[in-house]
Amino acid sequence: MADAICRVLRDGALEGEHATSLTINDSIDSPLGPIVFDYIFTHLSNFTSNNKSHSRGIVLLTFSRSPSFAAELLKTRGIDVATSHEWLRVLDCYTDPLGWKQRLKDHGAPLTEAKLNVNICKDVRNLDGLFSLILALGKELVGDCKNRFSLAIDSLSEMIRHTSVSSVACLLSNLRSHAQVSSIFWLLHSDLHDIKASAAFEYMSSMVANVKPLTTENTDKFYLLEQNYKKGEFHASLKRRNGRVRIMREEFSIENSMIKFTSMASGESVVAQALVPKVQFNLQLSDKEKSDRAKVVLPFEHQETGKSVQIYDGRKSELNVAPDEKVKKHEDSGRGEIIYFRDSDDEMPDSDEDPDDDLDI
């Protein structure tokens, strides 16, 4: 399922559509959202670096971690950092978000140690300037033609610390509607914001992924705390172009700083399968069934065979039937018969009956 999300971000949006967007939600109960973000970012980087993505480059906004972390992350995933200048731009909003460290470089302390193509944002509160920087970095990668780039924001919560939710939502909306943005995804610590803020960002997303703690019957607090830092559940909803929403769930575990996703073999699905009745259909008739079907006399089957047409209306009693007809009925007891009894005389007659046959005209 996580791989399916990566493929959707890789394919991006069609011409005339808003950029494909993903919100990754986590909380203190399962604080593994950054690892999920790294998984998606490295997969999308692998697609882009190998020219297997609809976008021709990635612009990474770092709010919660330094660009050097991104460089080490790409190295550990086997992606060549030396050629990253061809497809990656990093906008550093972590080192000096408010412009207080401008003189550090003069004192011999570099602002960043990353080996990536890094640009430093010195005022994250100026969202108009941030929007211009993002587009400028994207155009460095893809030019002014119809080529597109992807955008990754490692922490939307850090951005909201410096400005309002409505301003951040407006920035994301402008980025999604820009013609050169193919896809965009961000991480949100949902428990740090009210429900309205989380709902606003989910509303403008075509995909929503929630990182939740693993369901377990063990209620020991220390056990749960340890489990929540190693395992969890990944719930995602993907909105398709036809308007339908696909909901998926997976379990994941962390081993040596690597995340591994596995399909959920939950008891719910087993119970659901057990509740479904097993119905078998046999489309072929046996010889006995064919013989029985041939014995059934359908209504009006005797017409146009030389016999007089008689319509049985359900009101004739068997007492009015002749004895020889009774004998024939007993002789033909092996044949099927359809008998219809009219509920009352007020019931409308069949279509073949004349409703005015009792009138003397």
Side-chain angles (χ1 to χ4, degrees):
M1 179 182 62
D3 293 336
I5 291 178
C6 295
R7 289 192 295 269
V8 173
L9 292 173
R10 175 200 64 186
D11 297 338
L14 298 177
E15 186 175 357
E17 293 182 343
H18 280 13
T20 304
S21 55
L22 166 67
T23 297
I24 304 172
N25 291 318
D26 74 344
S27 63
I28 191 63
D29 294 330
S30 184
L32 301 176
I35 299 180
V36 175
F37 178 90
D38 296 341
Y39 178 87
I40 296 176
F41 170 68
T42 52
H43 271 63
L44 190 60
S45 299
N46 189 31
F47 288 137
T48 307
S49 61
N50 293 314
N51 295 322
K52 295 181 180 180
S53 175
H54 179 66
S55 62
R56 293 293 178 263
I58 301 176
V59 176
L60 172 64
L61 272 67
T62 59
F63 280 90
S64 61
R65 296 174 292 190
S66 65
S68 58
F69 177 87
E72 292 298 325
L73 177 66
L74 295 176
K75 285 182 180 179
T76 56
R77 298 299 188 270
I79 300 175
D80 188 8
V81 179
T83 60
S84 62
H85 65 278
E86 299 176 358
W87 54 270
L88 178 64
R89 293 291 184 274
V90 179
L91 185 56
D92 184 7
C93 302
Y94 170 83
T95 304
D96 194 13
L98 301 177
W100 291 351
K101 304 177 182 179
Q102 296 183 25
R103 298 183 180 179
L104 284 180
K105 194 172 183 180
D106 298 335
H107 293 295
L111 294 179
T112 178
E113 299 175 357
K115 296 180 181 179
L116 304 173
N117 196 323
V118 179
N119 293 264
I120 299 176
C121 178
K122 298 179 181 179
D123 190 2
V124 297
R125 297 167 297 184
N126 183 7
L127 296 186
D128 292 336
L130 186 62
F131 178 75
S132 300
L133 281 173
I134 293 172
L135 295 184
L137 294 177
K139 289 181 179 179
E140 286 183 12
L141 293 170
V142 301
D144 294 327
C145 54
K146 292 185 178 181
N147 291 331
R148 297 184 175 187
F149 65 91
S150 299
L151 178 64
I153 306 174
D154 69 349
S155 179
L156 208 62
S157 299
E158 292 290 336
M159 185 187 297
I160 298 174
R161 286 180 57 192
H162 303 289
T163 185
S164 63
V165 173
S166 59
S167 300
V168 176
C170 183
L171 172 66
L172 295 178
S173 179
N174 292 335
L175 289 169
R176 285 198 63 206
S177 59
H178 196 273
Q180 287 192 290
V181 179
S182 173
S183 60
I184 176 173
F185 62 101
W186 55 78
L187 172 64
L188 181 70
H189 305 299
S190 57
D191 56 340
L192 299 180
H193 313 285
D194 56 20
I195 299 177
K196 292 183 179 180
S198 300
F201 296 118
E202 291 181 5
Y203 178 78
M204 63 175 61
S205 303
S206 54
M207 298 180 291
V208 177
N210 295 307
V211 181
K212 296 185 177 182
L214 192 64
T215 304
T216 179
E217 297 180 356
N218 195 326
T219 58
D220 183 69
K221 293 183 179 180
F222 293 101
Y223 174 81
L224 294 176
L225 182 63
E226 183 180 3
Q227 284 293 105
N228 291 342
Y229 280 86
K230 291 182 178 180
K231 297 180 180 180
E233 294 182 4
F234 187 73
H235 297 223
S237 57
L238 286 73
K239 185 178 181 181
R240 298 177 177 177
R241 288 187 172 90
N242 58 7
R244 295 183 179 181
V245 178
R246 180 186 178 190
I247 299 176
M248 301 176 293
R249 294 195 303 170
E250 279 184 339
E251 292 181 0
F252 65 88
S253 58
I254 310 297
E255 298 178 3
N256 299 325
S257 300
M258 299 285 290
I259 188 170
K260 181 180 179 181
F261 291 91
T262 56
S263 59
M264 291 188 64
S266 61
E268 296 179 1
S269 60
V270 176
V271 173
Q273 291 293 334
L275 294 177
V276 175
K278 296 182 178 180
V279 181
Q280 295 181 352
F281 295 93
N282 186 7
L283 301 180
Q284 302 296 329
L285 295 177
S286 63
D287 294 338
K288 183 179 182 304
E289 290 172 340
K290 291 180 180 179
S291 175
D292 293 341
R293 185 180 66 174
K295 294 178 181 180
V296 176
V297 179
L298 300 178
F300 314 115
E301 193 179 44
H302 62 279
Q303 295 188 17
E304 300 180 0
T305 59
K307 298 181 181 179
S308 60
V309 176
Q310 295 181 357
I311 300 176
Y312 179 71
D313 60 0
R315 289 178 290 184
K316 292 184 179 180
S317 172
E318 192 177 8
L319 297 175
N320 299 328
V321 181
D324 55 343
E325 293 183 6
K326 290 184 180 180
V327 174
K328 288 183 180 180
K329 286 187 178 180
H330 290 296
E331 291 177 355
D332 298 339
S333 60
R335 302 183 64 181
E337 186 177 12
I338 297 177
I339 301 176
Y340 165 70
F341 293 95
R342 183 178 290 178
D343 294 337
S344 66
D345 292 342
D346 297 332
E347 184 180 346
M348 292 296 294
D350 295 335
S351 60
D352 291 340
E353 295 185 46
D354 183 4
D356 299 328
D357 60 354
D358 57 338
L359 299 178
D360 186 10
I361 301 176

